[in-house]
Amino acid sequence: MRRAAIVFVHGLFSSSATWGDLQEQLSGLPGAAQEFDLLFFGYATRRTSMNPLRKMPNLDTVAESLRGYLDDLPFPYERLVFVTHSQGGLVVQRFLWRMLVEGRGRDLVRIRRVVMFACPNNGSELFLLLRRSLLAVVGNRQERELRPLQASVQDAQRRVLTGIVNAGYVSSDRCPIPFMLYAGESDNVVSPTSAVSVFPEATVLPGDHFSVIKPGPDGRLVRALQVNLDKALREPFPKEPVSGAYVHAQWEAQGKDFLMEHRVFGPVDVETGSSATQFFLHGGPLEQLSGIDIVVSSENIYLQMSQFFKPTVSASLRRAAAVKGAGGEILEDVVSDSLIAWLRAHARYGLPVREGTVAPTPSGALAHRGVRRIYHAAVVTPVDGTSEYTVNPYAITRATHNVFEVARRERRELGLPLNSICLPLLGSGRGRMTIARSFELVWGALMTELSDDSSWSIHFAVRKRQNFDLIKERLLAMKEENEVG
């Protein structure tokens, strides 16, 4: 009996036979491949079924079947590696998600790697309209979850990223497991962008959606898999923290430090020119804001909003403004779609805009909370070849001025009754500018604008408790500093 096993998981409308060529190659190779038993998990996935006694299982049901399959393995393998194709990657993610939700993170320790080929992490748009019309007739539950921006898929992905991929230790709700993703360079079913998504370790292999898992004469597929198998055998098992200090530190950073419910401080009346302006401070989730005419979102200079599951202002507003179905699925990505339309009309989509540019969009579902418009301020610049961003102080002051310019124009040309503006601390997130410096830059621009036009109330929005306390102190100090006489 070998001490490790590979569990292969096939995709939509497929079967375990799809791994035949790769199985033959691996079985005859020396080295790491010979240390593993090859196991094949299969599940029902058909295009149609005329049998009224059968129905197509959804991904939750298949994930539960996978758990039963692993629990019933005849040998207690020390290490497991998942190798998946297409929808199989979503099945494994759903399985891991359900394990974490049920507090079984410690039971995942023997899973030492997940290798995904052509997984539709962001959905597949190929023949989308045809799929919706034809497969909806037969009630294909699995195809529905391959459509772009499915809430159930993104919820699982978000939990896997935080509780698996980026986890630092083992506990009931997390377990570090390395993920490696491969996209097919000529795949027209699942684009490389969808296959890679936001996972940190990913690359491209030759082939289309199906040939990417077929060994070729160049040997790249087999070599890539051997590298992953070797790492899965050599890398140490993750451990629980020696003491509770690390767990406590994580809780401090991710829980206690963030305001979970909406808090508001104000009004604080500050002299601005010949009259006073009312300032308010909001803490907590942005989606809980209400009764504010304009909410400003900090964006990059490509004006591309964050994906729904990101912990950013942009992502929070995108989620909150989207029109959702009864099951939470996104029916209309209002703000992002409107922003793309603005770019096509006023700039060059796919190319950067000038720092400080402000693009207005509708507020989507946030209109029910009294939010009339969302303004997108281009303030951070991506650093080529990295996941880092920089911010130019000029971009923050220019964006603040442009917010008022756009708002006054929309008042005049669209007849919108705009009177209140909510600003985040621009550049203090991905741009990593300090809260104090961001506030200083925004405040200076505000004083210039409000000295000539005090018809606005100004709202600041923060999410962290310490930032709420800091801005509260600054507002009170500014009130005292600007008092007349």
Side-chain angles (χ1 to χ4, degrees):
M1 180 191 75
R2 296 182 174 92
R3 61 192 179 99
I6 306 171
V7 180
F8 292 90
V9 185
H10 63 77
L12 183 72
F13 307 149
S14 186
S15 70
S16 296
T18 194
W19 302 107
D21 293 342
L22 185 56
Q23 177 185 6
E24 182 178 350
Q25 284 272 329
L26 292 177
S27 298
L29 286 176
Q34 290 189 329
E35 300 288 333
F36 289 84
D37 280 338
L38 307 184
L39 309 178
F40 301 89
F41 171 73
Y43 58 94
T45 172
R46 304 173 302 278
R47 290 176 175 81
T48 60
S49 175
M50 298 296 107
N51 189 338
L53 301 181
R54 292 182 180 178
K55 68 177 182 180
M56 181 74 72
N58 60 23
L59 292 192
D60 284 313
T61 301
V62 178
E64 186 63 25
S65 177
L66 176 58
R67 178 166 67 172
Y69 175 86
L70 296 176
D71 289 343
D72 295 338
L73 288 177
F75 304 113
Y77 292 103
E78 294 179 9
R79 295 171 184 257
L80 295 176
V81 173
F82 282 116
V83 176
T84 73
H85 178 237
S86 192
Q87 179 181 260
L90 301 183
V91 170
V92 170
Q93 290 182 60
R94 191 67 57 90
F95 158 72
L96 296 172
W97 175 38
R98 290 167 65 90
M99 292 289 282
L100 295 183
V101 169
E102 295 176 14
R104 295 186 58 184
R106 294 180 178 88
D107 294 340
L108 301 175
V109 170
R110 64 174 178 161
I111 301 173
R112 288 298 79 230
R113 191 159 290 260
V114 176
V115 183
M116 297 195 297
F117 294 96
C119 178
N121 286 298
N122 293 346
S124 171
E125 296 188 359
L126 182 67
F127 303 134
L128 183 57
L129 293 178
L130 181 64
R131 284 158 43 201
R132 281 176 172 167
S133 60
L134 294 182
L135 295 179
V137 175
V138 296
N140 193 302
R141 300 180 176 186
Q142 293 171 16
E143 185 278 330
R144 294 174 194 165
E145 301 204 59
L146 299 186
R147 298 173 186 175
L149 302 178
Q150 289 299 295
S152 57
V153 172
Q154 292 195 326
D155 286 345
Q157 188 179 90
R158 183 162 53 245
R159 187 63 180 267
V160 165
L161 282 168
T162 57
I164 299 289
V165 177
N166 296 321
Y169 59 93
V170 178
S171 70
S172 62
D173 66 348
R174 67 195 62 209
C175 179
I177 301 173
F179 269 58
M180 185 65 202
L181 282 70
Y182 294 96
E185 65 181 5
S186 56
D187 191 342
N188 195 38
V189 177
V190 175
S191 68
T193 300
S194 178
V196 170
S197 187
V198 294
F199 287 86
E201 296 293 331
T203 189
V204 177
L205 287 176
D208 58 27
H209 188 66
F210 300 100
S211 62
V212 72
I213 59 169
K214 305 296 183 183
D218 60 3
R220 286 182 60 184
L221 169 64
V222 174
R223 287 198 301 273
L225 193 52
Q226 280 190 298
V227 168
N228 283 281
L229 297 178
D230 185 58
K231 289 180 179 179
L233 287 177
R234 291 188 293 103
E235 291 174 349
F237 289 101
K239 298 180 180 180
E240 298 194 33
V242 176
S243 67
Y246 184 76
V247 178
H248 180 71
Q250 290 291 308
W251 177 78
E252 286 285 340
Q254 299 179 14
K256 184 179 177 181
D257 193 40
F258 285 85
L259 294 167
M260 296 295 105
E261 295 295 331
H262 181 251
R263 287 177 58 182
V264 61
F265 171 73
V268 177
D269 294 326
V270 178
E271 296 292 337
T272 53
S274 60
S275 60
T277 299
Q278 288 192 329
F279 288 84
F280 297 82
L281 174 61
H282 300 264
L286 284 173
E287 51 267 37
Q288 294 181 7
L289 293 173
S290 63
I292 300 173
D293 297 325
I294 301 167
V295 177
V296 179
S297 177
S298 178
E299 311 288 3
N300 57 58
I301 60 172
Y302 291 85
L303 287 178
Q304 298 292 305
M305 299 192 75
S306 295
Q307 297 194 49
F308 292 104
F309 48 81
K310 292 288 188 70
T312 63
V313 169
S314 178
S316 296
L317 289 174
R318 185 178 180 183
R319 284 194 305 269
V323 177
K324 305 176 183 67
E329 70 276 16
I330 304 297
L331 301 180
E332 188 177 357
D333 191 6
V334 178
V335 176
S336 182
D337 291 346
S338 299
L339 186 55
I340 291 172
W342 185 93
L343 279 165
R344 294 192 185 282
H346 298 91
R348 294 176 295 173
Y349 182 60
L351 296 178
V353 298
R354 185 182 180 187
E355 291 177 330
T357 297
V358 171
T361 65
S363 60
L366 282 172
H368 296 299
R369 300 187 65 86
V371 176
R372 300 179 187 276
R373 305 289 280 171
I374 295 177
Y375 286 2
H376 305 265
V379 295
V380 296
T381 300
V383 179
D384 289 344
T386 75
S387 59
E388 301 297 318
Y389 294 84
T390 61
V391 59
N392 184 341
Y394 168 79
I396 293 177
T397 56
R398 178 176 173 81
T400 306
H401 288 299
N402 284 340
V403 164
F404 284 87
E405 181 179 333
V406 173
R408 285 190 288 264
R409 184 175 69 244
E410 291 203 319
R411 264 182 174 178
R412 182 178 63 255
E413 296 178 0
L414 302 181
L416 295 175
L418 305 176
N419 299 292
S420 53
I421 300 173
C422 180
L423 291 155
L425 276 303
L426 298 170
S428 64
R430 290 175 293 176
R432 296 186 178 180
M433 179 175 284
T434 66
I435 293 293
R437 178 59 172 156
S438 173
F439 180 81
E440 175 187 334
L441 292 167
V442 172
W443 186 265
L446 284 174
M447 290 302 101
T448 301
E449 294 292 337
L450 296 171
S451 64
D452 297 326
D453 180 7
S454 59
S455 62
W456 306 90
S457 64
I458 306 299
H459 302 248
F460 290 102
V462 297
R463 290 179 295 171
K464 289 186 177 181
R465 190 181 308 273
Q466 63 184 26
N467 296 341
F468 186 91
D469 294 337
L470 174 62
I471 301 304
K472 178 180 176 180
E473 291 177 4
R474 297 299 297 146
L475 282 177
L476 292 175
M478 291 301 180
K479 172 181 172 64
E480 182 177 351
E481 182 178 315
N482 286 271
E483 283 182 345
V484 177

